[in-house]
Coordinates of all heavy atoms in Angstrom, one line a residue:
M1 N -46.9 135.5 -49.8 CA -46.1 134.6 -50.5 C -44.7 135.2 -50.6 O -44.6 136.4 -51.0 CB -46.6 134.4 -51.9 CG -46.4 132.9 -52.2 SD -47.3 132.3 -53.7 CE -47.4 133.8 -54.8
A2 N -43.7 134.5 -50.3 CA -42.3 135.0 -50.4 C -41.8 135.1 -51.8 O -42.1 134.3 -52.7 CB -41.4 133.9 -49.6
E3 N -41.2 136.1 -52.1 CA -40.7 136.5 -53.4 C -39.3 136.1 -53.5 O -38.5 136.2 -52.5 CB -40.8 138.0 -53.5 CG -40.5 138.4 -55.0 CD -40.6 139.9 -55.0 OE1 -41.2 140.6 -54.2 OE2 -40.1 140.5 -56.0
D4 N -39.0 135.4 -54.5 CA -37.6 134.9 -54.7 C -36.6 136.1 -55.0 O -36.9 136.9 -55.8 CB -37.5 133.9 -55.9 CG -38.1 132.7 -55.5 OD1 -38.0 132.3 -54.3 OD2 -38.7 132.0 -56.4
K5 N -35.6 136.1 -54.1 CA -34.6 137.2 -54.4 C -33.3 136.5 -55.0 O -33.1 135.3 -54.9 CB -34.2 137.6 -52.9 CG -35.3 138.5 -52.3 CD -35.5 139.8 -53.0 CE -36.7 140.6 -52.5 NZ -36.6 141.1 -51.2
C6 N -32.7 137.4 -55.7 CA -31.4 137.0 -56.3 C -30.4 136.3 -55.2 O -30.3 136.8 -54.1 CB -30.7 138.2 -56.9 SG -29.2 137.7 -57.9
G7 N -29.8 135.2 -55.6 CA -28.9 134.5 -54.6 C -27.5 134.9 -54.8 O -26.6 134.1 -54.3
I8 N -27.1 136.0 -55.4 CA -25.8 136.4 -55.6 C -25.3 137.4 -54.4 O -26.2 138.2 -54.1 CB -25.6 136.9 -57.0 CG1 -26.0 135.9 -58.0 CG2 -24.1 137.4 -57.2 CD1 -25.4 134.7 -58.0
M9 N -24.1 137.3 -54.0 CA -23.6 138.2 -53.1 C -23.8 139.6 -53.4 O -23.6 140.1 -54.5 CB -22.1 138.0 -52.9 CG -21.6 136.7 -52.3 SD -21.9 136.8 -50.6 CE -20.9 135.2 -50.2
G10 N -24.4 140.3 -52.4 CA -24.5 141.8 -52.5 C -25.6 142.2 -53.3 O -25.9 143.3 -53.8
C11 N -26.5 141.2 -53.7 CA -27.7 141.5 -54.5 C -28.9 141.0 -54.1 O -29.0 139.9 -53.5 CB -27.4 140.9 -55.9 SG -28.8 141.3 -57.2
D12 N -29.9 141.9 -53.9 CA -31.2 141.5 -53.3 C -32.5 141.8 -54.3 O -33.4 142.2 -53.7 CB -31.4 141.9 -51.9 CG -31.4 143.4 -51.9 OD1 -31.2 144.0 -52.9 OD2 -31.8 143.9 -50.7
K13 N -32.2 141.8 -55.5 CA -33.2 142.1 -56.5 C -34.1 141.0 -56.7 O -33.8 139.8 -56.3 CB -32.7 142.6 -57.7 CG -31.9 143.9 -57.7 CD -31.4 144.3 -59.0 CE -30.7 145.6 -58.9 NZ -29.6 145.7 -60.0
S14 N -35.3 141.1 -57.3 CA -36.2 140.0 -57.5 C -35.6 139.2 -58.6 O -35.0 139.6 -59.5 CB -37.6 140.6 -58.0 OG -38.1 141.4 -57.1
A15 N -35.8 137.8 -58.3 CA -35.3 136.9 -59.2 C -36.2 136.6 -60.4 O -37.5 136.6 -60.1 CB -34.9 135.6 -58.5
I16 N -35.7 136.3 -61.5 CA -36.6 135.9 -62.6 C -36.3 134.6 -63.0 O -37.2 134.0 -63.8 CB -36.4 137.0 -63.8 CG1 -34.9 136.8 -64.3 CG2 -36.7 138.3 -63.5 CD1 -34.7 137.5 -65.7
R17 N -35.2 134.0 -62.8 CA -34.8 132.6 -63.1 C -34.1 132.0 -62.0 O -33.4 132.5 -61.2 CB -34.1 132.5 -64.4 CG -34.8 133.2 -65.6 CD -34.5 132.4 -66.8 NE -34.6 131.0 -66.6 CZ -34.4 130.1 -67.6 NH1 -34.0 130.4 -68.8 NH2 -34.6 128.8 -67.4
S18 N -33.9 130.5 -62.1 CA -33.1 129.8 -61.2 C -32.3 128.8 -61.9 O -32.7 128.3 -63.0 CB -33.8 129.2 -60.1 OG -34.5 128.1 -60.6
Y19 N -31.1 128.6 -61.5 CA -30.2 127.7 -62.1 C -29.4 126.8 -61.0 O -29.5 127.1 -59.9 CB -29.0 128.5 -62.9 CG -29.5 129.3 -64.0 CD1 -29.8 130.6 -63.8 CD2 -29.7 128.7 -65.3 CE1 -30.3 131.5 -64.8 CE2 -30.2 129.6 -66.3 CZ -30.5 130.8 -66.2 OH -30.9 131.6 -67.1
A20 N -28.8 125.8 -61.5 CA -28.1 124.9 -60.7 C -26.9 125.8 -60.1 O -26.3 126.6 -60.8 CB -27.6 123.8 -61.4
R21 N -26.6 125.5 -58.7 CA -25.6 126.4 -58.2 C -24.3 126.2 -58.8 O -23.6 127.2 -59.0 CB -25.5 126.1 -56.6 CG -24.4 126.9 -55.9 CD -24.2 126.5 -54.5 NE -24.3 125.1 -54.3 CZ -23.1 124.3 -54.6 NH1 -22.0 124.8 -55.0 NH2 -23.2 123.0 -54.4
E22 N -24.0 125.0 -59.2 CA -22.6 124.7 -59.8 C -22.6 125.5 -61.0 O -21.4 126.1 -61.3 CB -22.5 123.2 -60.0 CG -22.2 122.5 -58.9 CD -21.9 120.9 -59.3 OE1 -21.8 120.6 -60.5 OE2 -21.9 120.2 -58.5
A23 N -23.6 125.6 -61.8 CA -23.5 126.2 -63.1 C -23.2 127.7 -62.9 O -22.5 128.3 -63.6 CB -24.7 126.0 -63.9
C24 N -23.8 128.3 -61.8 CA -23.7 129.7 -61.5 C -22.2 129.9 -61.1 O -21.6 130.9 -61.5 CB -24.6 130.1 -60.4 SG -26.3 130.1 -60.9
E25 N -21.7 129.0 -60.3 CA -20.3 129.3 -59.8 C -19.3 129.3 -61.0 O -18.3 129.8 -61.1 CB -19.9 128.2 -58.7 CG -20.7 128.5 -57.5 CD -20.4 127.6 -56.3 OE1 -19.8 126.5 -56.6 OE2 -20.6 127.9 -55.1
R26 N -19.6 128.1 -61.8 CA -18.8 128.0 -63.1 C -18.9 129.4 -63.9 O -17.9 129.6 -64.6 CB -19.2 126.8 -63.8 CG -18.0 126.1 -64.5 CD -18.5 124.9 -65.1 NE -19.3 123.9 -64.2 CZ -20.4 123.4 -64.6 NH1 -20.9 123.5 -65.8 NH2 -21.0 122.5 -63.8
A27 N -19.9 130.0 -63.8 CA -20.0 131.1 -64.7 C -19.4 132.4 -64.0 O -19.5 133.5 -64.4 CB -21.5 131.4 -64.9
G28 N -18.8 132.2 -62.8 CA -18.1 133.1 -62.1 C -19.0 134.0 -61.1 O -18.5 135.2 -60.7
L29 N -20.1 133.6 -60.9 CA -21.0 134.3 -59.9 C -20.7 134.0 -58.5 O -20.4 132.8 -58.3 CB -22.4 134.1 -60.3 CG -22.9 134.5 -61.7 CD1 -24.3 134.1 -62.0 CD2 -22.9 136.0 -61.8
D30 N -20.9 135.0 -57.6 CA -20.7 134.7 -56.1 C -21.9 134.4 -55.5 O -22.7 135.1 -55.1 CB -20.1 136.0 -55.6 CG -18.7 135.9 -55.1 OD1 -18.3 134.8 -55.0 OD2 -18.1 136.9 -55.0
V31 N -22.1 133.1 -55.4 CA -23.3 132.6 -54.8 C -23.4 132.7 -53.3 O -22.4 132.4 -52.5 CB -23.5 131.1 -55.1 CG1 -24.9 130.5 -54.5 CG2 -23.6 130.9 -56.6
K32 N -24.4 133.2 -52.7 CA -24.5 133.5 -51.4 C -24.6 132.1 -50.5 O -23.9 131.9 -49.5 CB -25.8 134.2 -50.9 CG -25.8 135.6 -51.1 CD -27.1 136.2 -50.8 CE -27.4 137.5 -51.4 NZ -28.8 138.0 -51.4
D33 N -25.4 131.3 -50.9 CA -25.7 130.0 -50.1 C -24.8 128.9 -50.7 O -25.2 128.3 -51.7 CB -27.2 129.7 -50.1 CG -27.5 128.5 -49.2 OD1 -26.5 127.9 -48.7 OD2 -28.7 128.3 -49.0
E34 N -23.9 128.5 -50.1 CA -22.9 127.4 -50.6 C -23.6 126.1 -50.7 O -23.0 125.2 -51.3 CB -21.7 127.3 -49.8 CG -20.9 128.6 -49.7 CD -19.5 128.5 -49.0 OE1 -19.5 127.5 -48.2 OE2 -18.7 129.2 -49.0
E35 N -24.6 125.9 -50.0 CA -25.2 124.6 -49.9 C -26.5 124.5 -50.8 O -27.1 123.4 -50.9 CB -25.6 124.4 -48.5 CG -24.6 124.7 -47.5 CD -24.3 123.6 -46.5 OE1 -25.3 123.0 -46.0 OE2 -23.2 123.3 -46.3
A36 N -26.9 125.6 -51.3 CA -28.1 125.6 -52.2 C -27.9 124.6 -53.4 O -26.8 124.7 -54.0 CB -28.5 127.0 -52.6
R37 N -29.0 124.0 -53.8 CA -29.0 123.3 -55.0 C -29.1 124.1 -56.3 O -28.4 124.1 -57.2 CB -30.1 122.3 -55.0 CG -29.8 121.1 -54.1 CD -29.4 120.0 -55.1 NE -29.0 118.8 -54.3 CZ -29.7 117.8 -54.0 NH1 -31.0 117.9 -54.2 NH2 -29.3 116.9 -53.3
R38 N -30.1 125.1 -56.0 CA -30.4 126.0 -57.1 C -30.2 127.4 -56.6 O -30.4 127.8 -55.4 CB -31.9 125.8 -57.5 CG -32.0 124.4 -58.1 CD -33.4 124.3 -58.8 NE -33.4 125.1 -60.0 CZ -32.9 124.6 -61.1 NH1 -32.3 123.5 -61.1 NH2 -33.0 125.3 -62.2
V39 N -29.9 128.3 -57.4 CA -29.7 129.7 -57.2 C -30.6 130.5 -58.1 O -30.8 130.3 -59.3 CB -28.2 130.1 -57.5 CG1 -28.0 131.6 -57.2 CG2 -27.3 129.3 -56.6
H40 N -31.3 131.4 -57.4 CA -32.2 132.4 -58.2 C -31.3 133.6 -58.7 O -30.5 134.1 -57.9 CB -33.4 132.8 -57.3 CG -34.2 131.7 -56.9 ND1 -35.2 131.3 -57.7 CD2 -34.3 130.9 -55.8 CE1 -35.8 130.2 -57.1 NE2 -35.2 130.0 -56.0
L41 N -31.6 133.9 -59.9 CA -30.9 135.2 -60.4 C -31.9 136.2 -60.9 O -32.9 135.8 -61.3 CB -30.0 134.7 -61.6 CG -29.0 133.6 -61.4 CD1 -28.2 133.4 -62.6 CD2 -28.0 134.0 -60.3
C42 N -31.5 137.4 -60.6 CA -32.2 138.6 -61.0 C -31.9 138.8 -62.5 O -31.1 138.1 -63.1 CB -31.8 139.8 -60.2 SG -30.1 140.3 -60.5
R43 N -32.6 139.7 -63.0 CA -32.5 140.0 -64.4 C -30.9 140.2 -64.9 O -30.4 139.7 -65.8 CB -33.2 141.2 -64.9 CG -33.3 141.4 -66.3 CD -34.1 142.8 -66.7 NE -35.3 142.8 -66.0 CZ -36.5 142.8 -66.6 NH1 -36.5 142.9 -67.9 NH2 -37.6 142.8 -65.9
E44 N -30.3 141.1 -64.1 CA -28.9 141.4 -64.3 C -27.9 140.2 -64.3 O -27.2 140.0 -65.1 CB -28.4 142.5 -63.4 CG -28.7 143.9 -63.8 CD -28.3 144.9 -62.8 OE1 -27.1 144.8 -62.3 OE2 -29.1 145.8 -62.5
H45 N -28.1 139.5 -63.2 CA -27.2 138.3 -63.1 C -27.6 137.2 -64.1 O -26.7 136.4 -64.4 CB -27.3 137.8 -61.6 CG -26.5 138.7 -60.7 ND1 -27.0 139.4 -59.6 CD2 -25.2 139.0 -60.7 CE1 -26.0 140.1 -59.1 NE2 -24.9 139.7 -59.7
N46 N -28.8 137.1 -64.4 CA -29.2 136.2 -65.5 C -28.5 136.6 -66.7 O -28.0 135.7 -67.4 CB -30.6 136.3 -65.7 CG -31.2 135.3 -66.7 OD1 -30.9 134.1 -66.7 ND2 -31.8 135.7 -67.7
K47 N -28.4 137.8 -67.0 CA -27.7 138.3 -68.2 C -26.3 138.0 -68.1 O -25.6 137.5 -69.0 CB -27.9 139.8 -68.3 CG -27.8 140.2 -69.7 CD -27.6 141.8 -69.9 CE -28.9 142.6 -69.5 NZ -28.7 144.0 -69.6
Q48 N -25.7 138.2 -66.9 CA -24.2 137.9 -66.7 C -23.9 136.4 -66.8 O -22.9 136.0 -67.3 CB -23.9 138.5 -65.3 CG -22.4 138.7 -65.2 CD -22.1 139.2 -63.8 OE1 -22.8 140.2 -63.3 NE2 -21.0 138.7 -63.2
Y49 N -24.9 135.7 -66.3 CA -24.8 134.2 -66.3 C -24.7 133.7 -67.8 O -23.8 133.0 -68.2 CB -26.0 133.6 -65.7 CG -26.0 132.1 -65.8 CD1 -25.3 131.2 -64.9 CD2 -26.8 131.6 -66.8 CE1 -25.4 129.9 -65.1 CE2 -26.8 130.1 -66.9 CZ -26.1 129.4 -66.1 OH -26.2 128.0 -66.2
K50 N -25.6 134.2 -68.6 CA -25.7 133.8 -70.0 C -24.4 134.3 -70.8 O -23.9 133.4 -71.5 CB -26.9 134.4 -70.6 CG -28.1 133.7 -70.2 CD -29.2 134.0 -71.1 CE -30.5 133.2 -70.9 NZ -31.6 133.8 -71.4
K51 N -24.0 135.5 -70.5 CA -22.8 136.0 -71.1 C -21.6 135.2 -70.8 O -20.8 134.7 -71.6 CB -22.6 137.4 -70.6 CG -21.8 138.2 -71.7 CD -21.4 139.5 -71.0 CE -22.1 140.7 -71.7 NZ -21.8 141.9 -70.9
S52 N -21.5 134.8 -69.5 CA -20.2 134.1 -69.1 C -20.2 132.6 -69.4 O -19.3 132.0 -69.5 CB -20.1 134.3 -67.5 OG -21.2 133.8 -66.9
T53 N -21.4 132.1 -69.6 CA -21.5 130.7 -70.1 C -21.0 130.6 -71.5 O -20.6 129.5 -71.9 CB -22.8 130.0 -70.0 OG1 -23.8 130.9 -70.4 CG2 -23.1 129.7 -68.5
R54 N -21.1 131.7 -72.1 CA -20.7 131.7 -73.6 C -19.2 132.0 -73.6 O -18.5 131.3 -74.3 CB -21.4 132.7 -74.5 CG -22.4 132.1 -75.3 CD -23.1 133.2 -76.1 NE -24.5 133.1 -76.0 CZ -25.2 134.2 -76.4 NH1 -24.8 135.3 -76.9 NH2 -26.6 134.1 -76.2
T55 N -18.8 133.0 -72.9 CA -17.4 133.3 -72.9 C -16.7 133.1 -71.5 O -16.6 134.1 -70.7 CB -17.1 134.8 -73.4 OG1 -17.9 135.6 -72.5 CG2 -17.6 135.1 -74.7
E56 N -16.5 131.9 -71.3 CA -16.0 131.5 -70.0 C -14.6 132.0 -69.7 O -14.2 131.9 -68.5 CB -16.0 130.0 -69.9 CG -17.3 129.4 -69.5 CD -17.3 127.9 -69.5 OE1 -16.2 127.4 -69.2 OE2 -18.3 127.3 -69.9
R57 N -13.9 132.5 -70.5 CA -12.6 132.9 -70.4 C -12.2 134.1 -69.4 O -11.9 134.0 -68.3 CB -11.8 133.1 -71.7 CG -11.6 131.8 -72.3 CD -10.9 132.0 -73.6 NE -11.3 130.9 -74.5 CZ -10.8 130.8 -75.8 NH1 -10.0 131.7 -76.1 NH2 -11.2 129.8 -76.5
K58 N -12.5 135.3 -70.0 CA -12.1 136.5 -69.2 C -13.2 137.2 -68.6 O -13.7 138.2 -68.9 CB -11.4 137.5 -70.2 CG -12.2 137.7 -71.4 CD -11.5 138.7 -72.3 CE -12.3 138.9 -73.5 NZ -11.5 140.0 -74.3
L59 N -13.7 136.5 -67.5 CA -14.7 137.0 -66.7 C -14.2 137.6 -65.4 O -15.0 138.3 -64.7 CB -15.7 135.8 -66.3 CG -17.0 135.9 -66.8 CD1 -17.9 134.9 -66.3 CD2 -17.7 137.3 -66.7
E60 N -13.1 137.3 -65.0 CA -12.6 137.7 -63.7 C -12.8 139.2 -63.2 O -13.1 139.5 -62.2 CB -11.0 137.3 -63.5 CG -11.0 135.8 -63.4 CD -9.6 135.4 -63.7 OE1 -8.8 136.2 -63.7 OE2 -9.5 134.2 -63.8
T61 N -12.6 140.0 -64.3 CA -12.7 141.4 -63.9 C -14.0 142.1 -64.3 O -14.0 143.3 -64.3 CB -11.5 142.2 -64.6 OG1 -11.5 142.0 -66.0 CG2 -10.1 141.9 -64.0
L62 N -15.0 141.2 -64.6 CA -16.3 141.8 -65.0 C -17.0 142.6 -63.9 O -17.5 143.7 -64.0 CB -17.0 140.7 -65.5 CG -17.7 140.9 -66.9 CD1 -18.5 139.7 -67.4 CD2 -18.3 142.2 -67.1
G63 N -17.2 141.8 -62.8 CA -18.0 142.4 -61.7 C -17.1 143.4 -60.8 O -16.0 143.6 -61.0
R64 N -17.8 143.9 -59.8 CA -17.0 144.7 -58.9 C -17.6 144.4 -57.5 O -18.7 144.0 -57.3 CB -17.0 146.1 -59.0 CG -17.9 146.8 -60.0 CD -18.0 148.3 -59.8 NE -19.2 148.6 -60.4 CZ -19.8 149.8 -60.1 NH1 -19.2 150.7 -59.4 NH2 -21.0 150.1 -60.6
Ligands
ZN101 ZN1 -28.6 139.7 -58.8

């Protein structure tokens, strides 16, 4: 069985959740697959997603 991997650029950890791609992009995440409906997120990106949906403002310099 294929394991879901995180769908964010430069990340290939195991995913724990999935969200709509649009929501992820709005949260400032770099989604690998531009055509995907849903994006799987690993634990770290899930955390980042939640954080950024709360404080949408200054996210630009969060990642590297
Ligand atoms: Zn990730």
Side-chain angles (χ1 to χ4, degrees):
M1 220 168 32
E3 191 182 336
D4 287 327
K5 294 282 171 75
C6 183
I8 303 304
M9 290 281 194
C11 185
D12 61 355
K13 292 182 181 154
S14 302
I16 59 163
R17 297 216 49 180
S18 72
Y19 295 97
R21 179 182 48 76
E22 278 184 16
C24 293
E25 288 179 343
R26 214 176 304 139
L29 297 170
D30 246 341
V31 179
K32 278 182 206 165
D33 188 352
E34 296 180 346
E35 315 230 314
R37 281 261 171 89
R38 300 189 69 79
V39 178
H40 296 277
L41 298 184
C42 67
R43 188 189 305 245
E44 269 175 47
H45 281 117
N46 180 53
K47 209 195 279 177
Q48 199 175 319
Y49 172 87
K50 285 195 170 161
K51 207 191 245 174
S52 54
T53 47
R54 254 184 236 164
T55 55
E56 276 175 29
R57 290 178 207 185
K58 45 180 183 179
L59 245 191
E60 284 160 15
T61 54
L62 234 181
R64 7 165 207 168

